[in-house]
Amino acid sequence: MNWGVLIAVLIYEVVSIVGIGAFMAYKNKKSGGAESGSFAFAGGGLPASLVGITLALTLLGSAHNWGTCQNAASMGVIAAWFGIACVIMMVVITQITGPWIRRTGAKTIGDFLNKVFGKVPGTMISCVNAALSIAMVCLEVETIAITLSFLTGWSYMISAIVGGILAMLYVLLAGMKEIAWLNLLNAILMYAALIVVFICLCFKLPGGWDQVEATMTASADTSWMTSIFGNKALIIGFAIPSALGATMFHGMAQTGYQPVATAKNNHEVKKSLWFAGPINGLFCIIPALIGVAAFSILAYRNAGSMMMTPAMLLDLLPKPVIALLAAGFLGVDLSSFAVMALAPATLISHDMYTLYKPNATEKQKSTLSRVIIIIIGIVSIAICNFQPAVVDMVNWCFSFGIPVFIMGVIGLWWKRSTKASVITFIITWIVVCIWSTFGLQNALGWANFHVNYISLIVALIVGVISTAVLPGKKGLFAGKRA
């Protein structure tokens, strides 16, 4: 066990989390923050820099670090397209959907759907959004556990327990303000770590990066893995649906909107793109290269697609660099865990709890949110042994948000029909489940026809036809400036 590395990483994480969290909690208490929505929304007063960094790190986690390394072992450098796809997502959230939702005065995506379509669709989306966010929290715990196991040699479950406790502390003390300032610190650390790791591998890889390329291009089966464009099948089956799913899901989901809701105004939201886009979008490039490097060395392939990269790094990198990388990767996953857990907690406390107690105070909502975050953390630790391919699982979750995006746009700019929205949601979700569960892709010979394509096609057809046929009101923004 690398005790020195472990102690250094844990000291950094605990001191930064507890120190910043305690300071922000003190400031919240001093300013009466519990009554102003500070826990969930940072009081609605963050500048563009903190909004952008928080948005970037919220949606930069398991799929970007170890998930991209894992993907690169099977598809090569094109795995970095998951990050490129997220740049498109950041543009849509900060320039289009985020400002739209803020204009309605909504604090949650359920409240937004309430304003557009009514209580039934709003409550339905709050429930589904919360469930999908919890599923993605489990993926963050999975990669947090991998990082700690990589450092310590601990069992996967022990690593998950320790990591889960750290993850809950990341958000429990002071909520969004704590997350925002920790994200600023971790954004600097994670890029420094990646750059140092890449430079070290230039000297430590057997034969250097030239040997990696020579090994991969020596065989026709792997020669395409060194190209950022991979091959046609991966462009159609991975790159495009990743951009489609990420943009449409987070574009109208609580996970994408929660950081946007913390901004001072829409002007700050739009400026935040200059922070969110580059920080999130560039991150996948180096993990994709590292993943291909691990795959090129036969000795590490036996560790499996997820563990071959950690195994290589542990063998080749000096301990201080391992500590830096582990702290950076942990920071990435902890930040994603924080908002991924806070998002469903906010939906439950603000959208569902208020059905039972309409006059609930912000303090009561904050207390309930903390309890829910603890429950989500415990559940995530308990079930994180179920380890699907991270990026595949994330993309599957995204498919459930596509009909929400489609109907959200229709309801804002064309026509609002409660029945049409419910029908579109239910039919699309049923089709997604059937397509994903019963192997229809293989049966039809459509292996590259991603579930996100199916979700988009069904949502568009059912959404447009049902909205046109069924009665409804004029779109919320119809006839107004965009």
Side-chain angles (χ1 to χ4, degrees), residues 21-40 42-43 172-178 366 370:
F23 179 71
M24 288 299 163
Y26 168 75
K27 290 195 71 175
N28 281 350
K29 185 176 181 180
K30 194 173 180 180
S31 62
E35 296 301 327
S36 62
S38 284
F39 184 78
L172 281 176
L173 295 177
M176 278 303 293
K177 283 186 179 179
E178 177 186 9
S366 296
R370 284 185 167 95

Side-chain angles (χ1 to χ4, degrees), residues 8 16 26 55 66 103 121 125 138 152 182 193 338 423 427:
S16 62
Y26 168 75
L55 181 60
W66 295 125
R103 280 180 60 190
I125 296 306
C138 295
T152 63
L182 280 168
I423 289 170
I427 290 178

Side-chain angles (χ1 to χ4, degrees), residues 109-146:
I109 201 66
D111 187 25
F112 166 69
L113 270 294
N114 281 345
K115 294 175 184 293
V116 178
F117 292 113
K119 186 169 289 187
V120 172
T123 304
M124 179 187 297
I125 296 306
S126 291
C127 294
V128 172
N129 222 237
L132 293 173
S133 297
I134 292 169
M136 286 190 275
V137 169
C138 295
L139 296 177
E140 301 306 323
V141 174
E142 176 184 337
T143 51
I144 290 169
I146 288 168

Side-chain angles (χ1 to χ4, degrees), residues 27-367:
K27 290 195 71 175
N28 281 350
K29 185 176 181 180
K30 194 173 180 180
S31 62
E35 296 301 327
S36 62
S38 284
F39 184 78
F41 305 109
L46 295 186
S49 56
L50 287 179
V51 173
I53 291 168
T54 300
L55 181 60
L57 268 74
T58 294
L59 307 180
L60 193 163
S62 57
H64 287 72
N65 50 37
W66 295 125
T68 294
C69 293
Q70 179 188 31
N71 253 20
S74 60
M75 64 176 60
V77 180
I78 196 175
W81 272 80
F82 190 83
I84 297 169
C86 288
V87 176
I88 301 170
M89 171 184 71
M90 293 299 171
V91 172
V92 171
I93 291 173
T94 60
Q95 307 302 305
I96 303 173
T97 57
W100 284 355
I101 298 171
R102 282 179 62 97
R103 280 180 60 190
T104 69
K107 286 293 187 181
T108 68
I109 201 66
D111 187 25
F112 166 69
L113 270 294
N114 281 345
K115 294 175 184 293
V116 178
F117 292 113
K119 186 169 289 187
V120 172
T123 304
M124 179 187 297
I125 296 306
S126 291
C127 294
V128 172
N129 222 237
L132 293 173
S133 297
I134 292 169
M136 286 190 275
V137 169
C138 295
L139 296 177
E140 301 306 323
V141 174
E142 176 184 337
T143 51
I144 290 169
I146 288 168
T147 303
L148 287 175
S149 180
F150 150 72
L151 270 179
T152 63
W154 288 342
S155 71
Y156 185 84
M157 184 51 66
I158 294 296
S159 299
I161 292 170
V162 174
I165 292 170
L166 282 174
M168 286 185 275
L169 283 175
Y170 201 103
V171 62
L172 281 176
L173 295 177
M176 278 303 293
K177 283 186 179 179
E178 177 186 9
I179 293 169
W181 285 102
L182 280 168
N183 284 353
L184 175 61
L185 183 63
N186 283 323
I188 298 168
L189 179 69
M190 70 181 188
Y191 270 101
L194 279 182
I195 292 167
V196 171
V197 167
F198 183 80
I199 293 171
C200 280
L201 287 178
C202 291
F203 299 99
K204 295 290 186 178
L205 278 171
W209 290 102
D210 289 341
Q211 183 59 46
V212 172
E213 184 176 11
T215 301
M216 300 304 290
T217 55
S219 168
D221 292 335
T222 59
S223 59
W224 51 270
M225 292 178 72
T226 59
S227 169
I228 189 67
F229 296 103
N231 56 41
K232 183 180 177 181
L234 287 172
I235 290 287
I236 295 171
F238 170 73
I240 295 174
S242 290
L244 180 72
T247 299
M248 290 193 166
F249 178 81
H250 289 302
M252 285 194 182
Q254 190 64 26
T255 46
Y257 183 61
Q258 188 102 17
V260 169
T262 67
K264 290 179 183 178
N265 49 51
N266 273 348
H267 181 62
E268 296 297 314
V269 173
K270 294 192 174 186
K271 286 198 302 181
S272 70
L273 174 64
W274 297 105
F275 300 91
I279 290 173
N280 189 289
L282 295 174
F283 188 88
C284 282
I285 296 172
I286 295 179
L289 294 173
I290 296 172
V292 171
F295 181 78
S296 73
I297 303 173
L298 293 176
Y300 299 115
R301 291 188 191 178
N302 292 334
S305 61
M306 177 58 89
M307 296 308 296
M308 69 175 68
T309 304
M312 179 193 74
L313 295 176
L314 201 58
D315 279 352
L316 299 182
L317 297 180
K319 289 182 179 180
V321 177
I322 291 173
L324 185 63
L325 178 67
F329 271 24
L330 270 180
V332 166
D333 292 332
L334 292 172
S335 66
S336 288
F337 174 99
V339 180
M340 292 291 180
L342 182 58
T346 302
L347 288 170
I348 293 168
S349 61
H350 285 70
D351 292 350
M352 300 175 203
Y353 179 58
T354 51
L355 294 175
Y356 164 73
K357 194 169 184 178
N359 298 319
T361 65
E362 286 297 332
K363 186 174 182 179
Q364 290 172 324
K365 293 175 187 175
S366 296
T367 301

Side-chain angles (χ1 to χ4, degrees), residues 6-35:
L6 174 64
I7 291 169
V9 171
L10 290 182
I11 287 175
Y12 164 75
E13 297 295 351
V14 172
V15 169
S16 62
I17 290 170
V18 175
I20 291 176
F23 179 71
M24 288 299 163
Y26 168 75
K27 290 195 71 175
N28 281 350
K29 185 176 181 180
K30 194 173 180 180
S31 62
E35 296 301 327

